């Protein structure tokens, strides 16, 4: 991590009177301010609030993202998307469904402290098409989100410059009617931005440089002392955003890789679910109740009877998953079709938790106070209608406890089926 210079505190106007550099929301070109993104620009075609089994609204165990803002990102301009317990983006090809999930995952990685160049390996693809550079040759994009939790609604907006160099040039954290953090690029020759955060002490604002390749909000817990009421508010808001963003698992099951045997003991499910067999073994030995629910889900979504899910170990130390068909008969999981394998992997993701998924969960926060968000691009890929309904029903049922949320993309036909399930938010996009 880039070393941070010593903190300096200087008298200055209250936070919010200065505006960070950024990217214009309408054109995607570099500008000298970060205006608030329009709200309500995208309205879900069907939005049902999730309800618990007792009939009341779902209360999340920990901080969660409730809005995704794409002020100027790829094909999206000036839109705000609601994010509920189960949210599915739908629309024709080219409407930006996958782009929305890509922006969500990028925010999650920034919240985890990942450097900018790793989060955006192709930054030019994030700039709105046709966006012209300004007189200094600068272009970029803007994304943001709103989180909810103990600190109340907290907004994060980030402006990224892609040309002439990739860097974060503007960031704003707001909550409770106050601007809690702003950053701005003051000297293009330095690899840092000038940050100002709310203090409400002897001086209203603390100023210090922060690296321009990391999210400033994620660095605040390392920089803010927490000795004044204002600093405590800044810390609470920053920690809420970081916890909400870090608790994300992007899942892209790869059936072609799930059929091969895997080494024993590799018990954290990877993004492509290629180590499915090892995770099945871990679930079987550590949580019989969840394993039983997975068997029931497999029986409901796979062809033919499924009475058991297990593993076989070979003499070379490899493990492969097997499916029980009744009467003591087992067949390799590799015999399942692509749709069945994707369905099985997605059901496993929904039924497990951060301890079994390869996710950068907030270790300093008790698991009982965290809510995992699963990102699933192409949720209904290779699935039939029955399998999609089973997965959506499973996500709603598990999400009712407040520990899991699902954000995915579906085809237009998949959206029709998803709307039949209470508790699902379907966001329709147009090409």
């Amino acid at each position: 991590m880039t070393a941070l210079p010593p903190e300096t505190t200087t008298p200055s106007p209250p936070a919010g009177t200065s505006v960070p550099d950024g990217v214009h929301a309408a054109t995607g070109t570099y500008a000298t301010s970060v205006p608030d993104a329009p709200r309500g620009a995208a309205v879900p075609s069907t939005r049902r609030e999730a309800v618990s089994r007792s009939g009341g609204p779902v209360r999340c165990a920990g901080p969660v993202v409730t809005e995704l803002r794409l002020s100027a990102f790829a094909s999206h301009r000036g839109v705000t998307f609601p994010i509920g317990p189960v949210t599915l983006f739908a629309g024709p090809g080219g409407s930006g469904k996958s782009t929305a999930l890509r922006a969500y995952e990028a925010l999650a990685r920034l919240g985890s402290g990942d450097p900018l160049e790793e989060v955006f390996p192709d930054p030019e693809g994030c700039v709105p098409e046709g966006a012209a550079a300004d007189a200094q040759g600068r272009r970029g994009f803007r994304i943001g989100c709103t989180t909810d939790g103990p600190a109340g609604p907290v907004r994060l907006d980030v402006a990224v410059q892609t040309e002439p160099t990739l860097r974060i040039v503007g960031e704003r954290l707001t909550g409770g009617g106050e601007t809690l953090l702003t950053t701005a690029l003051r000297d293009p020759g330095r690899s840092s931005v000038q940050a100002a955060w709310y203090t409400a002490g002897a001086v209203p604002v603390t100023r210090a440089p922060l690296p321009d390749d990391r999210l400033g909000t994620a660095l605040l817990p390392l920089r803010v002392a927490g000795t004044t009421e204002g600093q405590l508010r800044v810390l609470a808001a920053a920690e809420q955003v970081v916890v909400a963003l870090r608790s994300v698992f992007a899942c892209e099951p790869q059936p072609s890789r799930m059929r091969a045997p895997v080494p024993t003991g590799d018990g954290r499910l990877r993004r492509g679910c290629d180590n499915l067999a090892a995770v099945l073994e871990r679930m079987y030995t550590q949580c019989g109740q969840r394993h039983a629910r997975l068997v029931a889900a497999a029986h409901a979504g796979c062809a033919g009877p499924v009475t058991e899910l297990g593993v076989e170990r070979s003499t070379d130390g490899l493990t492969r998953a097997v499916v029980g068909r009744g009467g003591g008969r087992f067949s390799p999981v590799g015999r399942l079709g692509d749709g069945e394998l994707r369905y099985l992997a997605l059901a496993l993701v929904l039924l497990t938790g951060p301890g079994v998924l390869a996710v950068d969960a907030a270790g300093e926060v008790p698991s009982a106070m965290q809510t995992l968000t699963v990102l699933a691009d192409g949720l209904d890929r290779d699935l039939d209608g029955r399998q999609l309904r089973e997965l959506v029903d499973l996500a709603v049922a598990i999400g009712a406890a407040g520990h899991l949320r699902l954000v995915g993309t579906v085809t237009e036909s998949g959206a029709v089926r998803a709307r039949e399930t209470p508790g699902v938010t379907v966001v329709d996009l147009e090409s």
Side-chain angles (χ1 to χ4, degrees), residues 20 34-37 69 71 142-145 155-159 170-174 215:
V34 181
D36 289 337
R69 285 187 299 282
S71 301
R142 293 180 55 229
I143 57 179
C145 66
R155 289 169 54 104
L156 170 68
D157 292 284
V158 184
E171 185 176 343
R172 177 187 285 130
L173 185 71
T174 58
L215 188 69

Side-chain angles (χ1 to χ4, degrees), residues 85-127:
V86 179
T87 304
L88 301 178
F89 289 88
S95 60
K97 303 185 297 292
S98 297
T99 300
L101 258 65
R102 181 157 55 104
Y104 194 131
E105 184 181 0
L107 285 169
R109 294 188 61 186
L110 289 174
S112 296
D114 288 358
L116 197 63
E117 62 181 8
E118 293 183 9
V119 176
F120 298 105
D122 178 26
E124 282 302 306
C126 302
V127 179

Side-chain angles (χ1 to χ4, degrees), residues 230-251:
Q231 290 176 341
L232 291 174
R233 288 179 58 186
V234 171
L235 284 174
E239 289 173 356
Q240 174 172 297
V241 170
V242 169
V243 171
L245 290 176
R246 283 176 60 182
S247 303
V248 166
F249 179 69
C251 181

Side-chain angles (χ1 to χ4, degrees), residues 9-339:
T9 304
T10 57
S12 58
T17 58
S18 63
V19 184
D21 294 333
V23 179
H24 194 272
T27 65
T29 58
Y30 187 92
T32 57
S33 65
V34 181
D36 289 337
R39 298 174 66 85
V43 180
S45 61
T46 301
R47 185 172 185 179
R48 306 182 181 95
E49 294 298 328
V51 295
S52 65
R53 292 178 180 177
S54 61
V58 171
R59 296 187 181 277
C60 293
V64 295
V65 173
T66 57
E67 285 183 337
L68 176 66
R69 285 187 299 282
L70 305 183
S71 301
F73 187 78
S75 60
H76 296 288
R77 297 173 185 260
V79 293
T80 300
F81 300 122
I83 304 296
V86 179
T87 304
L88 301 178
F89 289 88
S95 60
K97 303 185 297 292
S98 297
T99 300
L101 258 65
R102 181 157 55 104
Y104 194 131
E105 184 181 0
L107 285 169
R109 294 188 61 186
L110 289 174
S112 296
D114 288 358
L116 197 63
E117 62 181 8
E118 293 183 9
V119 176
F120 298 105
D122 178 26
E124 282 302 306
C126 302
V127 179
E129 187 175 0
D134 68 2
Q136 287 73 43
R138 298 174 295 187
R139 302 170 71 236
F141 56 89
R142 293 180 55 229
I143 57 179
C145 66
T146 300
T147 67
D148 202 2
V154 177
R155 289 169 54 104
L156 170 68
D157 292 284
V158 184
V160 177
Q161 174 187 289
T162 61
E163 296 179 17
T165 56
L166 180 64
R167 62 202 313 179
I168 295 178
V169 294
E171 185 176 343
R172 177 187 285 130
L173 185 71
T174 58
E178 293 283 353
T179 300
L180 303 174
L181 167 72
T182 60
T183 70
L185 179 65
R186 299 304 184 196
D187 184 354
R190 295 178 179 269
S191 58
S192 63
V193 292
Q194 183 66 24
W197 56 82
Y198 186 60
T199 305
V203 292
V205 171
T206 299
R207 298 186 184 276
L210 292 177
D212 64 357
D213 66 340
R214 296 285 203 282
L215 188 69
T217 297
L219 299 175
L220 284 180
L222 304 176
R223 301 300 308 275
V224 180
T227 57
T228 69
E229 181 272 338
Q231 290 176 341
L232 291 174
R233 288 179 58 186
V234 171
L235 284 174
E239 289 173 356
Q240 174 172 297
V241 170
V242 169
V243 171
L245 290 176
R246 283 176 60 182
S247 303
V248 166
F249 179 69
C251 181
E252 297 181 3
Q254 303 294 323
S256 61
R257 300 173 59 185
M258 293 164 58
R259 292 185 168 90
V262 298
T264 300
D266 185 10
R268 296 196 74 193
L269 191 66
R270 294 192 286 266
R271 182 184 188 125
C273 303
D274 47 292
N275 60 332
L276 175 75
V279 178
L280 278 176
E281 182 179 34
R282 179 176 177 179
M283 175 181 278
Y284 178 80
T285 57
Q286 296 183 1
C287 189
Q289 185 176 6
R290 290 187 180 183
H291 182 265
R293 293 187 70 179
L294 181 62
V295 173
H299 179 74
C302 295
V306 176
T307 60
E308 184 56 88
L309 291 170
V311 296
E312 290 181 349
R313 291 187 181 180
S314 59
T315 56
D316 56 4
L318 297 179
T319 299
R320 71 171 182 175
V322 294
V323 179
R325 295 299 191 180
R329 294 184 300 110
F330 287 86
S331 62
V333 75
R335 291 179 177 268
L336 298 178
D338 285 0

